[in-house]
């Protein structure tokens, strides 16, 4: 059964994608190996970096007043949640205080990334390659609204999460061991009071802490 989550504005579900499926993205994307992995040089990447940084460190200012390279304490208590990702051998523990939404779009009723996604994913890759995050693992989480068939939504959200993961591995030069895809479907609504709202359709990156 198809669901209304599959409209053009939906953003929550990845599927394993080959280089051929990703098509023209690779042609227009600059080689990340030629770009320093210093997310602090890009404002959007810095915002991602701050959202995902461990609680005992985050990008800040050095004692000499320069930007980047500094470490500041994030006084935020972790909010752990245990998850069993599909196809993964064991449970993982994620920290819901260390997450960021990825604004990418997919074709209708599809896990194919739409043109334009590369700009957002490039900034995400830069943040994940920053020294502050190099030793960290992350859950790529797909979400839907409650509109439509539950099992279909879970499958689609997983496939879209996997599409983002595969892009980051293939073109973002992120080690596959650092990324785990999982589809929550409608189980983790952003707005529980409006479970059918499009705002619940999204892809997030969440820190794995255990």
């Amino acid at each position: 059964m198809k669901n209304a989550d599959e409209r053009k504005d939906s953003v929550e579900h990845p599927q394993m994608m080959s280089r051929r499926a990703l098509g023209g993205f690779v042609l227009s994307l600059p080689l990340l190996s030629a770009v320093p992995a210093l997310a602090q040089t890009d404002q959007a990447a810095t915002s991602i970096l701050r959202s995902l940084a461990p609680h005992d460190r985050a990008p800040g200012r050095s004692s000499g007043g320069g930007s980047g390279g500094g470490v500041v304490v994030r006084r935020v208590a972790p909010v752990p949640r245990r998850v069993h990702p599909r196809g993964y051998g064991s449970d993982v523990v994620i920290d819901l205080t260390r997450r960021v939404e990825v604004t990418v779009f997919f074709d209708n009723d599809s896990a194919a990334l739409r043109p334009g996604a590369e700009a957002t994913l490039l900034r995400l890759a830069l943040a994940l390659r920053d020294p502050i995050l190099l030793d960290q693992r992350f859950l790529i989480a797909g979400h839907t609204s409650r509109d439509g068939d539950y099992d279909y939504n879970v499958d689609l959200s997983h496939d879209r999460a996997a599409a983002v993961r595969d892009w980051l591995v293939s073109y973002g030069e992120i080690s596959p061991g650092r990324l785990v895809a999982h589809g929550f479907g409608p189980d983790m609504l952003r707005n529980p009071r409006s479970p059918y709202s499009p705002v619940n359709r999204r892809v997030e990156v969440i820190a794995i802490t255990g």
Side-chain angles (χ1 to χ4, degrees):
M1 175 180 176
K2 308 288 185 181
N3 78 15
D5 264 39
E6 321 322 314
R7 305 175 193 139
K8 291 183 180 180
D9 62 349
S10 44
V11 291
E12 67 292 354
H13 183 86
Q15 175 185 26
M16 296 287 289
M17 297 179 68
S18 66
R19 289 177 180 268
R20 182 176 181 181
L22 287 166
F25 286 158
V26 69
L27 298 179
S28 58
L29 180 69
L31 290 176
L32 282 178
S33 58
V35 181
L38 296 175
Q40 297 94 324
T41 62
D42 182 288
Q43 187 173 8
T46 300
S47 178
I48 295 171
L49 183 59
R50 288 183 183 278
S51 297
L52 297 178
H55 292 293
D56 61 349
R57 63 186 190 264
R61 293 188 175 275
S62 64
S63 58
S67 62
V71 175
V72 296
V73 176
R74 299 178 66 210
R75 301 184 183 279
V76 180
V79 177
R81 175 168 177 168
R82 185 172 297 276
V83 177
H84 187 81
R86 177 191 296 182
Y88 201 68
S90 61
D91 291 355
V92 298
V93 177
I94 58 176
D95 180 358
L96 296 179
T97 67
R98 294 174 53 197
R99 61 180 174 177
V100 66
E101 186 170 324
V102 183
T103 307
V104 295
F105 297 92
F106 298 88
D107 288 336
N108 187 42
D109 192 22
S110 169
L113 288 162
R114 292 173 61 186
E118 61 198 59
T120 296
L121 293 177
L122 174 59
R123 289 185 172 93
L124 174 59
L126 287 174
L128 295 179
R129 291 178 55 194
D130 192 275
I132 290 174
L133 297 181
L134 273 181
D135 61 347
Q136 303 292 303
R137 294 190 302 145
F138 299 93
L139 188 77
I140 310 299
H143 304 277
T144 69
S145 73
R146 199 167 286 167
D147 194 7
D149 179 78
Y150 177 85
D151 290 337
Y152 185 87
N153 281 341
V154 170
D155 288 344
L156 184 60
S157 66
H158 176 270
D159 289 346
R160 287 181 172 170
V164 171
R165 177 200 60 196
D166 293 346
W167 192 100
L168 291 169
V169 170
S170 296
Y171 305 118
E173 300 180 4
I174 306 300
S175 169
R178 296 179 60 201
L179 305 175
V180 179
H182 180 66
F184 285 95
D187 290 342
M188 208 163 88
L189 298 171
R190 179 202 278 173
N191 186 352
R193 292 187 177 182
S194 298
Y196 300 100
S197 171
V199 303
N200 294 302
R201 307 169 192 159
R202 65 206 190 278
V203 173
E204 292 182 303
V205 180
I206 310 174
I208 294 176
T209 56

